[in-house]
């Protein structure tokens, strides 16, 4: 059981499942609410949930123990997350969840490209074929005839 709980594929699949629920719940949630205000509410809930996880797991660490480089990139990540959420909720307000979510998941393609360009990661031919298939699949799912 311990190896299952330390398995990244399990956590990635759970993340995907919760992300799917996020799209469904958010689509219903933004029906009669401004999308920016909906993002604000979501952010408060996430902040509280993250604080509870830090407390429950005893993961608190002194902010001074975090390097300035880590602070910089965590703040940049937070800003990117906020921008992503604002855009995502706006898209859900305007479009169908079944078409918005696949386009949002093009982030998988962007991550692969950015990881190669900026992190020096290497992808094999089968990896690149998967990236192309994900991109094509997202476009086909979002396409409305």
């Amino acid at each position: 059981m311990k190896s299952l709980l330390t398995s990244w594929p399990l956590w990635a699949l759970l993340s995907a499942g919760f992300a799917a629920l996020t799209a469904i719940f958010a689509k219903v949630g933004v029906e009669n609410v401004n999308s920016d205000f909906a993002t604000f509410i979501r952010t408060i809930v996430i902040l509280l949930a993250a604080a509870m996880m830090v407390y429950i797991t005893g993961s608190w660490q002194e902010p001074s123990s975090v390097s300035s480089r880590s602070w910089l990139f965590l703040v940049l990540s937070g800003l990117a997350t906020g921008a992503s959420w604002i855009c995502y909720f706006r898209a859900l307000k305007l479009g169908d969840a079944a078409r918005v979510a696949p386009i949002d998941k093009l982030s998988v393609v962007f991550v692969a490209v950015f990881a190669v360009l900026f992190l020096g990661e290497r992808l094999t031919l089968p990896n690149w074929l998967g990236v192309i298939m994900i991109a094509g699949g997202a476009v086909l799912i979002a396409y409305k005839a």
Side-chain angles (χ1 to χ4, degrees):
M1 181 61 141
K2 182 179 180 191
S3 63
L4 184 63
L5 293 178
T6 58
S7 165
W8 71 260
L10 169 69
W11 292 104
L13 285 171
L14 287 170
S15 174
F18 286 121
L21 289 174
T22 297
I24 301 305
F25 295 157
K27 179 62 181 174
V28 175
V30 298
E31 281 179 5
N32 298 309
V33 178
N34 175 280
S35 63
D36 294 332
F37 188 72
T39 303
F40 176 70
I41 293 170
R42 176 187 187 192
T43 302
I44 291 170
V45 171
I46 291 168
L47 178 66
L48 293 173
M52 187 173 14
M53 283 302 297
V54 167
Y55 176 76
I56 290 170
T57 62
S59 302
W60 176 260
Q61 66 183 81
E62 289 301 320
S64 62
S65 71
V66 178
S67 73
S68 57
R69 183 176 193 271
S70 289
W71 271 109
L72 171 65
F73 283 96
L74 289 171
V75 167
L76 290 173
S77 174
L79 291 171
T81 297
S84 172
W85 290 355
I86 288 167
C87 294
Y88 185 67
F89 270 56
R90 181 80 43 90
L92 280 175
K93 180 81 172 174
L94 300 171
D96 298 333
R99 294 192 1 242
V100 168
I103 296 301
D104 176 67
K105 295 311 173 217
L106 283 174
S107 62
V108 173
V109 174
F110 295 154
V111 167
V113 172
F114 293 166
V116 168
L117 293 176
F118 303 121
L119 301 177
E121 295 183 7
R122 298 167 81 52
L123 296 179
T124 64
L125 179 60
N127 298 145
W128 282 116
L129 290 174
V131 168
I132 291 166
M133 290 170 59
I134 290 169
V139 171
L140 288 174
I141 293 170
Y143 178 75
K144 185 173 186 175

